[in-house]
Amino acid sequence: MAKKINSWNDLKALYKELNKDLDPKSQWIAICEGTGCRVYGCLDVSKALEGELNKQNLTKVKIVHTGCHGFCERGTLMVIHPEGIFYSRVKPEDVKEIVEKTVKNHEIIDRLVYVDPKTNSKIPYAKDIPFYKFQKRVLLSRNEEINPTLITDYIAHGGYNSLAKALFEMAPDQVIKEVKDAGLRGRGGGGFLAARKWESSRKAEGDVKYIICNADEGDPGAYMDRSIIEGNPHSVLEGMIIGAYAVGSSNGYIYIRHEYPLAMHHITEAIKQAREYGFLGENVLGSDFSFDLKISRGGGAFVAGESSALIQSIEGKVAEPKAKYVHMAEHGLYSKPTVLNNVETWANVPLIIDMGSKKYSEIGTKTSTGTKIFSLVGKINNTGLVEVPMGISLRQIIFDIGGGIKNNKKFKAVQTGGPSGGVLPEKLLDLPVDFDRLTEAGSMMGSGGMIVMDEDNCMVDVAKYFIAFLQEESCGKCVPCREGLKQMLEILEKICSGKGEMSDLDTLNDLSQLLTDGSLCGLGNSAANPVLSSLQYFRDEYETHIKDKKCPAKVCKALIKYRIIEDKCTGCHLCLKNCPSHAITGQVKKLHTIHDDKCIKCGICYDVCKFDAVIKE
Amino acid sequence: MFKVKIDGIETEAAPETTILEVANRELVEIPTLCFNDNVEPRGACRICTVEVEIWGRKRLVTACNYPIRGDIVIDTKSEKVMKLRRLILEVLLARTPKSERIQELAKKYGVSQPRFTVEKTDDKCIVCGLCVQVCRDIVGVSALSLSERGILRKPETPFDEASSTCIGCGSCVYICPTDAVTMIDKDGKRFFPRWKTEFKLVKCESCDNLFMTDAQIKYLKKVMGKDDPCLHYCPNCLALFKK
Ligand SMILES: Cc1cc2nc3c(=O)[nH]c(=O)nc-3n(C[C@H](O)[C@H](O)[C@H](O)COP(=O)(O)O)c2cc1C
Ligand code: SF4
Ligand code: SF4
Ligand code: SF4
Ligand code: SF4
Ligand code: FES
């Protein structure tokens, strides 16, 4: 049983104790054991490494089982310190060689070194890899160094010192002022000033006040919050405890998606250990402030992440949004003053207290301070979680960190802000990533989704995809969102199938207005973004679908045809054999033909033909 | 008291008064669908949207549940409001073309033919949720709930089967703004086609008129904790007795 920490001095003493044998030259190996790398079998790599080190009597070399490093597509990731040698796609079979060569002889194994897809050069050290080099990982950097299931790892890296500083050196109002001066804005979507919410809640009357962490993360493909909770759960707890102290709350909730088993496990363990050490519970760190929190499991609906729906869900009711004419800061959970912030927002709080608002606000832009984590995906060379200073341009994220577009294709658009964000064209690539600038451009920061699209993406099809997602996730409570999205989707389907009319574009605009002005909650209010932004920046694509009945990107099935060109067809028979609907005829070594009446446009012939004889038109 | 100006009329309102309450008092007409005095406003249909200016900012809010918390200027017929109402009615008309209430409102706002595919349905339900609310909050039996989500959302009995808790009181019928729930009293029985339920009607012990379902009597007896003349005689006869 751990010793309860009863004062700041106790904490400082433990910090010293944990760091006393620290030798900057000592060898240690970080293995990413986040959800992403687990898919690639990182646990087997860990086991093999442990076995090999034991076998070779290298027990001095410490293995740190860490959370997500962000470069998930290249799992399993392994970083060998003190040099910081970065190996990716490591398999259990590689371990023996790693120990033999790299651990024992500091030799770099070429095969496991990262190759930059842009320059084709080999980059052995993590710090030099463009994916990492251009990031500013103030939140995620700890993920690479600590074992998230050990509170002592967090403390050894200075964890909970901000809490002690707040408790013993700052009055609650000072904490709020610090967060205000830091300019911290909510990372969950809206970008509200965190301190403003805290202040209202502090001022609101009531003996019971609540602090909630929104870890519902429903955006498809986004996993920034999951990574923080999995990789550094105590940073979220510490932020919440500081927030609770500032607001005057003694009860909190973490509302977490049930599909996140590892995050759930790590946060549960973190709460348990934080209690044992006295960071949670009665008289936190021996002060007269008490705070504890509970976990509440989210059911998985996208809309449950919306603040008023989330509160209803914690109360055991159906997660359905409600009018927010009365602020949560006064009447929130169980009608008590409540502060709700996103995981990433909370994780920034200890950092602000530690750095001081002045230094913190130097990161980023004037109105968007600090960093933002994005989930960078799509037609890009390097995908993964990236943390960047606000104000960085989209171009830098996509081309420097992301390594540019895959297969030398041409960039077409980037969608930011999750399903209800907007698509931004090439001419806006130099737009600084900042809450207000993204909104002005017709998109939004959202919670940090970033999907890169190339010339092969049809923008009408993209809009259709997001509207389909949103109509699926709409709770159906209010008329504009429930009925408006359905009609919008029907029109987009009509356009994609070549039956669109020019007047449909006006109708789409009207429906957008219905959604934006009429909907009850943020889902409906922002749902028109994919349509409005694509109409604004890619109107010509809509018009080509409608007027010429053509899909310029050749995506919309109803508007394309597959054809075999005479010059190239060798009559190899491959397409014919693979066609699922017997739409191809032809004799061996003679020209083959596709019969449109039978073709279901599956594209298999196009993919299998080795002579590029099948074309889409 | 806050200063309120609604469509040019200057008046006052106590804190927490809703815009709809002020409008009703000042005889300013605001259309409503999902609002009913007896239950908490859900703000679901959005037809009551008005444009307000408060704390120097203009915004659209729903009159039925917006509590006045400061001096406010309300425009119930601004261009934005009228356009929004027309759009709401246009999508509703496509969804429930047979609803007289929607037809009537649509006509009033100049919406004739929706630009969308009109559903081929006789269902008049606009999924306002009032039936669910009245059954849960006023009757107290929660025989109904809103199931599914998005476009599939609808009021339903559990598993869409005859509910074991429904007492056949008909409150859902009276509250439905679009007559989407019907109740048929026939051959000593009461049917609710929408809820797939059927009840036996009981005769008034004095006039022999059928006046309540057996389930209602049983439920009321339980709630009241005792037998009562109102469970034996119809309201008319009871009134006569009192005289
Ligand atoms: C449909 C919808 C889904 C949302 N989902 C999330 C979510 O998964 N996580 C989150 O933090 N915020 C989500 N939000 C935003 C929350 O309503 C809320 O603004 C946020 O949690 C507040 O925290 P912040 O100020 O720290 O961003 C969602 C909003 C909407 C409208
Ligand atoms: S906007 Fe959509 S998700 Fe939000 S309350 Fe209305 S129907 Fe539900
Ligand atoms: S696209 Fe599919 S169905 Fe059409 S010819 Fe090629 S393989 Fe056959
Ligand atoms: S008739 Fe049944 S469903 Fe309708 S309100 Fe009465 S108890 Fe509820
Ligand atoms: S049946 Fe009537 S009261 Fe019930 S949800 Fe539908 S429209 Fe509303
Ligand atoms: S009457 Fe106000 S939203 Fe329906």
Side-chain angles (χ1 to χ4, degrees):
Chain A
M1 179 77 188
K3 199 176 115 213
K4 228 184 175 93
I5 299 174
N6 271 318
S7 66
W8 196 356
N9 276 336
D10 276 7
L11 179 66
K12 286 176 182 162
L14 178 60
Y15 172 80
K16 267 206 193 115
E17 166 73 22
L18 291 168
N19 281 303
K20 81 172 186 296
D21 301 320
L22 197 78
D23 173 4
K25 283 193 239 78
S26 71
Q27 269 190 320
W28 59 282
I29 302 174
I31 296 192
C32 177
E33 291 182 11
T35 294
C37 281
R38 286 194 178 203
V39 178
Y40 294 102
C42 63
L43 296 181
D44 295 332
V45 177
S46 272
K47 229 200 249 146
L49 183 66
E50 230 159 86
E52 192 60 30
L53 290 175
N54 272 334
K55 207 165 103 195
Q56 305 244 19
N57 243 332
L58 289 166
T59 42
K60 274 202 329 287
V61 182
K62 197 174 139 196
I63 304 177
V64 181
H65 307 273
T66 74
C68 175
H69 293 207
F71 213 174
C72 310
E73 60 158 28
R74 306 198 63 90
T76 297
L77 307 179
M78 183 187 280
V79 186
I80 300 160
H81 296 275
E83 301 97 319
I85 297 167
F86 178 88
Y87 288 156
S88 63
R89 307 232 163 109
V90 179
K91 300 261 161 333
E93 308 84 89
D94 300 321
V95 164
K96 207 168 165 176
E97 195 182 346
I98 293 176
V99 171
E100 207 53 57
K101 289 191 176 153
T102 314
V103 176
K104 283 165 90 178
N105 296 315
H106 303 278
E107 210 179 292
I108 284 165
I109 304 167
D110 247 20
R111 168 168 56 83
L112 299 172
V113 166
Y114 172 79
V115 182
D116 184 11
K118 249 164 122 183
T119 58
N120 263 329
S121 57
K122 293 203 156 139
I123 309 178
Y125 302 106
K127 63 175 185 353
D128 302 324
I129 295 175
F131 179 77
Y132 289 116
K133 195 164 88 181
F134 297 107
Q135 293 192 41
K136 184 160 180 76
R137 294 167 73 90
V138 292
L139 293 174
L140 289 178
S141 55
R142 290 259 179 86
N143 273 30
E144 296 146 32
E145 295 164 353
I146 64 174
N147 179 333
T149 61
L150 298 176
I151 192 171
T152 42
D153 267 22
Y154 185 64
I155 297 171
H157 280 81
Y160 286 114
N161 195 52
S162 295
L163 171 63
K165 185 171 160 189
L167 281 181
F168 299 113
E169 274 188 350
M170 301 165 84
D173 287 330
Q174 264 175 295
V175 176
I176 295 182
K177 184 166 184 305
E178 204 62 22
V179 174
K180 191 181 202 167
D181 291 346
L184 178 65
R185 294 176 71 167
R187 305 297 199 243
F192 293 110
L193 284 169
R196 195 172 293 166
K197 293 203 245 182
W198 295 19
E199 210 165 21
S200 318
S201 189
R202 172 155 191 88
K203 283 191 192 137
E205 276 175 46
D207 41 352
V208 179
K209 293 179 183 177
Y210 292 103
I211 292 283
I212 307 176
C213 171
N214 189 345
D216 196 49
E217 197 163 53
D219 290 15
Y223 57 106
M224 355 329 134
D225 295 346
R226 186 188 79 195
S227 280
I228 296 177
I229 293 192
E230 265 177 31
N232 195 358
H234 287 286
S235 66
V236 180
L237 291 186
E238 188 178 2
M240 289 183 77
I241 306 168
I242 295 171
Y245 169 69
V247 166
S249 153
S250 48
N251 294 290
Y253 283 89
I254 297 183
Y255 187 82
I256 182 165
R257 226 180 157 63
H258 73 84
E259 286 114 326
Y260 282 180
L262 190 64
M264 186 76 86
H265 171 61
H266 286 185
I267 195 76
T268 310
E269 193 55 37
I271 292 173
K272 199 175 116 218
Q273 294 180 11
R275 275 196 201 118
E276 280 171 18
Y277 277 76
F279 299 114
L280 281 175
E282 295 293 318
N283 305 95
V284 172
L285 288 179
S287 71
D288 49 20
F289 164 70
S290 303
F291 177 73
D292 211 337
L293 48 75
K294 291 195 189 101
I295 291 176
S296 186
R297 278 161 178 262
F302 177 64
V303 78
E306 192 277 339
S307 52
S308 59
L310 180 146
I311 282 183
Q312 303 235 74
S313 174
I314 296 182
E315 289 177 359
K317 302 181 193 146
V318 179
E320 181 186 88
K322 259 172 122 168
K324 281 186 282 283
Y325 298 137
V326 179
H327 293 294
M328 251 171 75
E330 294 163 41
H331 288 277
L333 185 61
Y334 303 112
S335 291
K336 305 288 182 199
T338 301
V339 167
L340 169 74
N341 279 120
N342 163 263
V343 171
E344 194 180 332
T345 316
W346 287 121
N348 268 286
V349 173
L351 205 70
I352 290 171
I353 300 298
D354 181 45
M355 294 170 84
S357 57
K358 193 164 173 298
K359 233 178 124 208
Y360 179 90
S361 60
E362 281 165 13
I363 311 173
T365 65
K366 203 160 177 293
T367 53
S368 302
T369 56
T371 60
K372 178 76 194 89
I373 306 176
F374 287 97
S375 157
L376 186 61
V377 297
K379 309 278 187 65
I380 193 165
N381 277 313
N382 307 324
T383 63
L385 273 197
V386 305
E387 183 180 353
V388 292
M390 302 246 210
I392 190 174
S393 70
L394 289 165
R395 189 186 299 281
Q396 281 168 293
I397 300 181
I398 296 164
F399 289 90
D400 295 341
I401 298 171
I405 308 302
K406 253 192 193 148
N407 305 324
N408 291 319
K409 294 258 179 174
K410 209 168 135 7
F411 169 88
K412 186 187 262 182
V414 54
Q415 208 258 3
T416 73
S420 47
V423 284
L424 302 173
E426 184 164 19
K427 69 170 189 219
L428 291 179
L429 272 178
D430 291 309
L431 193 77
V433 169
D434 160 306
F435 285 103
D436 312 302
R437 300 299 295 280
L438 284 172
T439 309
E440 278 162 30
S443 186
M444 58 186 198
M445 183 78 82
S447 58
M450 196 174 275
I451 307 172
V452 179
M453 297 165 203
D454 70 6
E455 55 192 287
D456 293 338
N457 286 100
C458 163
M459 299 317 285
V460 187
D461 180 66
V462 166
K464 189 182 81 181
Y465 170 84
F466 288 116
I467 296 303
F469 173 84
L470 291 164
Q471 101 123 17
E472 187 76 18
E473 295 297 329
S474 155
C475 81
K477 177 175 181 173
C478 71
V479 172
C481 173
R482 183 184 69 227
E483 307 294 333
L485 281 170
K486 177 197 177 237
Q487 300 301 351
M488 211 171 215
L489 182 61
E490 266 186 25
I491 293 178
L492 291 168
E493 278 168 351
K494 208 173 112 191
I495 297 175
C496 287
S497 62
K499 298 189 190 111
E501 295 155 47
M502 283 307 281
S503 61
D504 286 335
L505 300 186
D506 297 330
T507 313
L508 282 178
N509 265 319
D510 276 351
L511 285 170
S512 298
Q513 198 177 344
L514 170 68
L515 282 161
T516 312
D517 291 346
S519 299
L520 190 158
C521 87
L523 189 147
N525 294 139
S526 59
N529 280 335
V531 167
L532 285 175
S533 59
S534 54
L535 271 175
Q536 182 179 356
Y537 300 118
F538 301 95
R539 195 182 171 92
D540 52 327
E541 286 198 31
Y542 281 87
E543 292 187 358
T544 312
H545 280 74
I546 295 172
K547 287 185 187 154
D548 309 338
K549 310 287 171 213
K550 286 243 154 36
C551 172
K554 303 199 176 80
V555 171
C556 297
K557 278 188 185 175
L559 303 180
I560 54 169
K561 266 187 192 166
Y562 286 89
R563 191 165 67 84
I564 297 174
I565 33 181
E566 194 165 355
D567 293 355
K568 292 195 173 167
C569 178
T570 61
C572 75
H573 234 44
L574 198 59
C575 58
L576 188 148
K577 274 193 245 152
N578 282 286
C579 175
S581 85
H582 308 291
I584 304 177
T585 53
Q587 290 177 339
V588 188
K589 296 204 175 141
K590 294 243 170 70
L591 172 66
H592 283 46
T593 315
I594 294 174
H595 299 276
D596 291 340
D597 53 332
K598 282 192 179 164
C599 172
I600 55 165
K601 295 169 189 172
C602 68
I604 291 179
C605 52
Y606 180 83
D607 293 334
V608 297
C609 180
K610 294 196 176 103
F611 308 97
D612 292 334
V614 183
I615 57 160
K616 261 194 271 188
E617 54 180 25
Chain B
M1 291 300 249
F2 296 115
K3 273 195 223 138
V4 178
K5 197 166 159 188
I6 178 162
D7 289 357
I9 306 168
E10 297 197 10
T11 175
E12 283 190 333
E16 307 298 315
T17 316
T18 65
I19 293 178
L20 188 62
E21 282 164 347
V22 175
N24 286 341
R25 201 179 65 201
E26 300 300 326
L27 304 178
V28 171
E29 198 189 321
I30 297 176
T32 61
L33 282 168
C34 72
F35 176 79
N36 185 290
D37 247 340
N38 297 297
V39 294
E40 203 192 321
R42 277 175 88 231
C45 73
R46 320 302 287 170
I47 197 75
C48 68
T49 301
V50 295
E51 192 162 2
V52 299
E53 193 177 335
I54 187 163
W55 297 305
R57 226 164 55 100
K58 275 198 166 187
R59 58 192 285 212
L60 294 167
V61 300
T62 39
C64 64
N65 61 356
Y66 185 87
I68 294 175
R69 304 186 129 201
D71 294 348
I72 190 168
V73 180
I74 306 161
D75 188 345
T76 72
K77 294 177 182 61
S78 76
E79 206 180 305
K80 257 193 169 163
V81 167
M82 297 305 271
K83 169 120 191 239
L84 183 62
R85 288 195 195 141
R86 278 197 298 274
L87 287 165
I88 291 174
L89 290 165
E90 192 181 351
V91 289
L92 280 179
L93 198 55
R95 168 84 189 243
T96 54
K98 293 280 169 63
S99 159
E100 293 83 2
R101 179 79 189 277
I102 300 300
Q103 288 169 356
E104 189 188 304
L105 264 176
K107 197 164 156 213
K108 194 163 161 195
Y109 280 84
V111 178
S112 47
Q113 188 57 36
R115 286 168 286 179
F116 319 115
T117 331
V118 174
E119 297 281 331
K120 288 192 185 57
T121 173
D122 292 332
D123 193 357
K124 299 174 184 173
C125 174
I126 57 163
V127 203
C128 70
L130 280 175
C131 51
V132 176
Q133 279 180 292
V134 77
C135 185
R136 182 189 62 207
D137 302 338
I138 307 294
V139 184
V141 300
S142 295
L144 307 171
S145 64
L146 288 167
S147 68
E148 311 268 3
R149 65 175 184 227
I151 198 70
L152 300 174
R153 201 143 195 227
K154 58 174 184 292
E156 219 177 43
T157 52
F159 311 106
D160 202 16
E161 287 166 9
S163 153
S164 57
T165 56
C166 172
I167 56 169
C169 67
S171 301
C172 46
V173 178
Y174 301 117
I175 206 166
C176 178
T178 53
D179 299 329
V181 196
T182 47
M183 173 170 95
I184 304 159
D185 286 357
K186 204 178 152 205
D187 303 334
K189 285 188 176 145
R190 174 173 286 180
F191 302 93
F192 293 86
R194 180 166 210 113
W195 313 136
K196 305 184 170 74
T197 42
E198 186 187 304
F199 295 90
K200 206 177 132 233
L201 284 166
V202 179
K203 277 182 188 161
C204 166
E205 288 171 24
S206 163
C207 70
D208 266 6
N209 276 333
L210 299 166
F211 81 113
M212 245 195 219
T213 68
D214 51 353
Q216 233 173 327
I217 294 176
K218 213 168 123 198
Y219 176 70
L220 288 172
K221 214 177 250 172
K222 204 178 92 200
V223 175
M224 294 198 268
K226 62 173 174 47
D227 201 4
D228 190 277
C230 79
L231 304 177
H232 298 269
Y233 305 101
C234 73
N236 283 344
C237 291
L238 275 179
L240 279 176
F241 296 161
K242 274 210 185 112
K243 270 189 198 158

